[in-house]
Amino acid sequence: MKLNMKISITVAALMLFSLLVLPGSFALSNNEYTDRTGDVEYVGIEDSALHDDIDITILTADISGDPIVLELTTVDGIILDASGMDYNYYFYLDLTGDDTVGATVIIKEDDQYVSGDTVEGTNTPISGISGEGTSTLRVELPLDIFSSTPTIDDVSALSEIKDGGYWARDYVNRDFQGGQSNVEITPPSDNDDPGEATPTNPSLGLSIDSFTMETTSTETSYDYSIQATGTGSDDIIKGFYCIWGYGDGGGHPQQIWKESPIDEENLYGSHEYKEEFFGTGAGGSWTTWKWTFHSSGPIDDNNRDRFEDPDTYWTGLESMVLYVRGYDADGNWDQDSEDITEEYTGTSSSSSSDDGDDDDTDDDDTVDDDTSDDDDDGDDSPGFEISLIVAALVIFAVIIVRRKRN
């Protein structure tokens, strides 16, 4: 009896051990992410009713068995067949634990498949999709579509509407950054001069440590690359940046704030762009961060002066200032600034600031005191305002296409 009991215990232990070490076991099971409402990003699609169609509230993933079950819930409802507009849904699977996409589930009206290096076939068609007309999209993925049973570390999702060159989209667990999207953060205002704002948590220690811009051009084409790097506290969970223009006539035209994380490829006609902006510290923390922007394209009548005669192109410009702002989980923030006029425009800055480095950002990075009159003063620098509008169109009014990271 004792021998048989020992054998039974040994067999049971071996069975338990085999269950724990079976190849292809799942690292994530019955996981759920919630996402706040009203956080839809958009260009040209402003209808709040359309936003509700794709405004994600919950993402769940049950990957404890076969099939894997992914569910995405939105405020209003799931739409796959909409006349004149494209509704698209994406699930991103992190298979290695390094916050990179190893497989992507793509759900469109007439195109539903999984792509990735671990999938059998480049784009493997899938079925088992349901939920149209309800609030929840359900996707069932049989394990045999993978070349080997995957170890899934994390899941994120994106829902979007596309209408020609316009779009609206919402993320949940964006770039596998956990529940940070649930934090209520009020983005910086595109109408308020950031140089006049006072940080609410200077202890976050956000700093711009370097900024470089390299530009080459021929008679017919241009190519430039921007890189900024810096440091901050690991309490920072969200970053924003903008490039703010100061005109010598007192006007304050600006380019919009952009929110991290950014990992995108952009197209605007014949112009190509690539941009990244996120924390690069351990686990994606903001102890170190980077912003990179690369652009190339043809030189034409709209941008020729920018590369061939920058003094004319930037007529009326006093300075260009890069602002980077970091937020903690309570919505408090710190920021740093850098005068980048010479690097960005190829002209000298007329600002009285030495270098733009100041954690409080309420120094001479901004325009002189005698240029802070009412908006009518901005009429004194029409050349600069027109140039900046053109620059903003070229740099920011683009059709954004999320990079495929297979």
Side-chain angles (χ1 to χ4, degrees):
M1 282 293 294
K2 290 183 179 181
L3 179 59
N4 289 339
M5 181 177 294
K6 288 181 179 180
I7 292 175
S8 299
I9 293 173
T10 301
V11 171
L14 288 173
M15 290 178 64
L16 177 60
F17 179 76
S18 67
L19 289 174
L20 294 175
V21 300
L22 276 175
S25 62
F26 294 103
L28 182 68
S29 177
N30 297 323
N31 199 58
E32 178 176 302
Y33 291 100
T34 59
D35 187 54
R36 62 186 175 92
T37 59
D39 59 344
V40 172
E41 303 171 13
Y42 62 92
V43 170
I45 299 178
E46 301 181 1
D47 189 337
S48 60
L50 294 176
H51 292 183
D52 287 346
D53 290 339
I54 60 165
D55 196 350
I56 301 170
T57 58
I58 301 174
L59 166 66
T60 62
D62 181 357
I63 50 182
S64 59
D66 187 3
I68 298 169
V69 179
L70 307 174
E71 291 188 338
L72 185 69
T73 300
T74 63
V75 171
D76 200 355
I78 302 301
I79 300 175
L80 292 176
D81 184 7
S83 176
M85 290 189 177
D86 296 323
Y87 282 74
N88 306 319
Y89 305 89
Y90 301 84
F91 297 87
Y92 303 101
L93 309 182
D94 176 6
L95 304 179
T96 59
D98 61 355
D99 293 344
T100 61
V101 178
T104 304
V105 181
I106 298 155
I107 309 298
K108 302 180 180 180
E109 178 181 354
D110 299 318
D111 207 5
Q112 292 130 19
Y113 61 93
V114 180
S115 66
D117 294 338
T118 62
V119 179
E120 293 284 5
T122 304
N123 295 326
T124 302
I126 56 175
S127 55
I129 299 165
S130 59
E132 181 168 8
T134 73
S135 61
T136 300
L137 173 67
R138 179 183 174 94
V139 178
E140 298 182 1
L141 299 178
L143 295 182
D144 59 13
I145 67 173
F146 296 92
S147 55
S148 60
T149 305
T151 299
I152 300 178
D153 185 80
D154 207 352
V155 178
S156 67
L158 161 67
S159 60
E160 72 172 3
I161 303 172
K162 298 186 74 174
D163 183 13
Y166 300 113
W167 53 263
R169 59 172 63 102
D170 191 26
Y171 297 86
V172 59
N173 191 26
R174 187 172 185 172
D175 286 341
F176 310 111
Q177 297 301 303
Q180 294 177 2
S181 60
N182 298 324
V183 178
E184 292 285 349
I185 292 178
T186 301
S189 171
D190 294 325
N191 299 315
D192 298 333
D193 183 350
E196 297 177 354
T198 301
T200 57
N201 186 4
S203 67
L204 293 176
L206 187 71
S207 174
I208 301 172
D209 297 337
S210 68
F211 178 88
T212 59
M213 180 170 178
E214 298 180 357
T215 303
T216 59
S217 62
T218 67
E219 291 183 358
T220 59
S221 65
Y222 73 88
D223 187 289
Y224 68 80
S225 297
I226 297 173
Q227 177 168 295
T229 62
T231 55
S233 166
D234 59 7
D235 290 330
I236 296 174
I237 65 167
K238 179 69 67 175
F240 293 82
Y241 87 87
C242 75
I243 297 176
W244 202 276
Y246 296 97
D248 59 14
H252 290 172
Q254 74 280 335
Q255 295 167 342
I256 63 173
W257 285 93
K258 299 193 71 177
E259 178 181 353
S260 71
I262 301 172
D263 185 2
E264 297 171 346
E265 294 182 356
N266 311 294
L267 299 174
Y268 179 71
S270 300
H271 302 270
E272 297 181 359
Y273 307 86
K274 292 183 180 180
E275 181 174 20
E276 295 180 325
F277 178 53
F278 45 75
T280 57
S285 78
W286 280 77
T287 53
T288 58
W289 57 266
K290 72 173 181 178
W291 170 50
T292 62
F293 192 96
H294 175 259
S295 175
S296 62
I299 289 180
D300 52 32
D301 292 340
N302 292 321
N303 62 12
R304 188 175 306 280
D305 282 348
R306 176 173 183 179
F307 300 99
E308 297 181 359
D309 188 5
D311 287 326
T312 298
Y313 185 84
W314 298 106
T315 297
L317 171 68
E318 180 181 90
S319 63
M320 281 285 202
V321 179
L322 169 66
Y323 290 93
V324 180
R325 184 175 293 189
Y327 285 77
D328 63 20
D330 296 321
N332 294 313
W333 58 272
D334 187 28
Q335 77 176 20
D336 196 12
S337 60
E338 180 82 16
D339 188 317
I340 61 171
T341 311
E342 186 171 353
E343 298 92 337
Y344 191 81
T345 69
T347 65
S348 298
S349 173
S350 60
S351 170
S352 58
S353 171
D354 291 333
D355 58 10
D357 289 329
D358 186 80
D359 288 342
D360 294 333
T361 66
D362 55 355
D363 59 3
D364 289 335
D365 281 344
T366 62
V367 294
D368 296 336
D369 291 340
D370 61 358
T371 63
S372 59
D373 300 331
D374 56 26
D375 293 339
D376 291 338
D377 289 343
D379 295 337
D380 294 336
S381 57
F384 168 55
E385 293 180 3
I386 293 172
S387 296
L388 192 63
I389 290 171
V390 173
L393 287 173
V394 170
I395 294 176
F396 292 108
V398 294
I399 302 170
I400 299 178
V401 181
R402 182 178 178 86
R403 182 179 304 167
K404 291 183 178 180
R405 300 157 59 193
N406 295 333

